């Protein structure tokens, strides 16, 4: 068996397919501004940099810009609506729970490192009965920095009780590859998430197309 590692996961587009509820919340905010909804297919790749960025990208799609005060108000409206509708359609990606079971049985620690707010992340994972699986759930506001700043990764691993030198990042976007590179750890990219640049182009150490492939990819890095 490989020595215990800390497997650190991004949340949106990696652990959970949150796009339906995030885009519904975005379209709720846009509708209040008198703007048309963003189609689900094109909006998926707007996700991943937090609520404010999602709204900015939604406005850009309509060729709109707003004042700082309006952006603050729209972001607050988004968070209130999203918090109340956080797990209407969001579901773990197929094969996730079996992969988590595998890692737990091997004695590995599991953690979440996301640019979502910590309390929203915990609420989502609570409603999906996933929180209990993770030794740490850390968000954009937990340490005052976001991915790709390596501080958030290092502090997440520490909070989980692990060591950075025995850890692996799993994510779907440039921020995840970036945080891993800056922290000096290997990264597994998932091809089914949300990213404006295809994850394969970002050259993760391993690339998987289904969660069933995650344990083998992780173990190949542990033994490399």
């Amino acid at each position: 068996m490989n020595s215990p590692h800390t497997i650190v996961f991004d949340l949106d587009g990696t652990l959970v397919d949150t796009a339906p509820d995030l885009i519904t919340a975005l379209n709720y905010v846009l509708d209040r501004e008198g703007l048309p909804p963003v189609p689900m297919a094109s909006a998926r790749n707007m996700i991943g940099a937090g609520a404010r960025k999602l709204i900015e990208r939604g406005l850009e799609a309509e060729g709109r810009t707003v004042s700082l005060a309006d952006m603050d108000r729209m972001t607050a409206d988004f968070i209130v609506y999203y918090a109340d509708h956080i797990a209407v359609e969001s579901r773990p990606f197929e094969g996730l729970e079996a992969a988590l079971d595998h890692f737990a049985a091997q004695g590995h620690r599991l953690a979440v490192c996301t640019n979502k707010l910590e309390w929203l992340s915990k609420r989502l994972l609570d409603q999906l009965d996933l929180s209990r699986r993770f030794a740490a759930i850390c968000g954009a506001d937990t340490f005052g920095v976001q991915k790709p700043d390596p501080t958030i990764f290092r502090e997440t691993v520490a909070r989980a009780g692990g060591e950075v030198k025995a850890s692996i990042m799993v994510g779907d976007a440039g921020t995840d590859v970036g945080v891993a590179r800056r922290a000096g750890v290997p990264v597994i990219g998932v091809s089914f998430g949300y990213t404006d640049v295809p994850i394969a182009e970002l050259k993760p150490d391993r690339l998987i197309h289904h969660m069933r492939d995650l344990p083998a990819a992780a173990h190949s890095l542990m033994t490399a």
Side-chain angles (χ1 to χ4, degrees):
M1 184 184 122
N2 298 307
S3 61
H5 274 61
T6 305
I7 317 295
V8 182
F9 293 87
D10 172 54
L11 178 48
D12 298 285
T14 300
L15 286 173
V16 182
D17 186 7
T18 52
D21 294 325
L22 284 165
I23 296 164
T24 297
L26 171 63
N27 285 334
Y28 165 80
V29 170
L30 294 177
D31 181 65
R32 291 186 64 169
E33 302 299 312
L35 295 171
V38 177
M40 187 70 67
S42 59
R44 287 177 73 88
N45 290 338
M46 297 179 183
I47 297 167
R52 193 181 188 93
K53 194 69 181 174
L54 177 60
I55 295 165
E56 284 177 11
R57 289 168 173 169
L59 290 168
E60 282 169 11
E62 291 301 321
R64 303 293 183 100
T65 56
V66 298
S67 69
L68 201 56
D70 282 342
M71 180 57 76
D72 289 343
R73 174 180 54 78
M74 292 170 72
T75 303
D77 287 349
F78 176 97
I79 288 171
V80 169
Y81 181 91
Y82 180 61
D84 289 339
H85 303 83
I86 201 164
V88 177
E89 295 184 69
S90 296
R91 297 292 180 267
F93 283 104
E94 185 183 0
L96 172 69
E97 299 203 53
L100 299 181
D101 287 342
H102 174 88
F103 291 129
Q106 297 275 313
H108 301 300
R109 292 180 179 84
L110 304 172
V112 175
C113 179
T114 174
N115 282 348
K116 205 183 198 77
L117 294 171
E118 182 187 309
W119 71 273
L120 284 175
S121 303
K122 288 180 172 174
R123 178 177 289 199
L124 172 62
L125 293 169
D126 282 349
Q127 291 196 21
L128 296 176
D129 193 30
L130 289 172
S131 293
R132 60 192 168 80
R133 293 176 171 273
F134 299 99
I137 299 168
C138 302
D141 52 335
T142 308
F143 309 110
V145 294
Q146 298 188 28
K147 295 178 293 185
D149 188 314
T151 303
I152 188 173
F153 183 89
R154 295 188 191 112
E155 294 294 334
T156 298
V157 172
R159 186 168 286 192
E163 294 182 41
V164 171
K165 66 175 189 248
S167 62
I168 295 170
M169 182 70 204
V170 183
D172 66 325
T175 49
D176 303 308
V177 176
V179 78
R181 295 287 178 249
R182 293 178 190 189
V185 302
V187 57
I188 298 170
V190 304
S191 67
F192 42 78
Y194 320 135
T195 174
D196 48 354
V197 179
I199 190 75
E201 291 180 18
L202 302 174
K203 304 279 195 290
D205 299 289
R206 299 288 185 275
L207 179 64
I208 64 169
H209 305 293
H210 192 284
M211 273 294 171
R212 75 169 77 88
D213 302 321
L214 181 61
H219 292 308
S220 74
L221 289 172
M222 293 174 197
T223 55

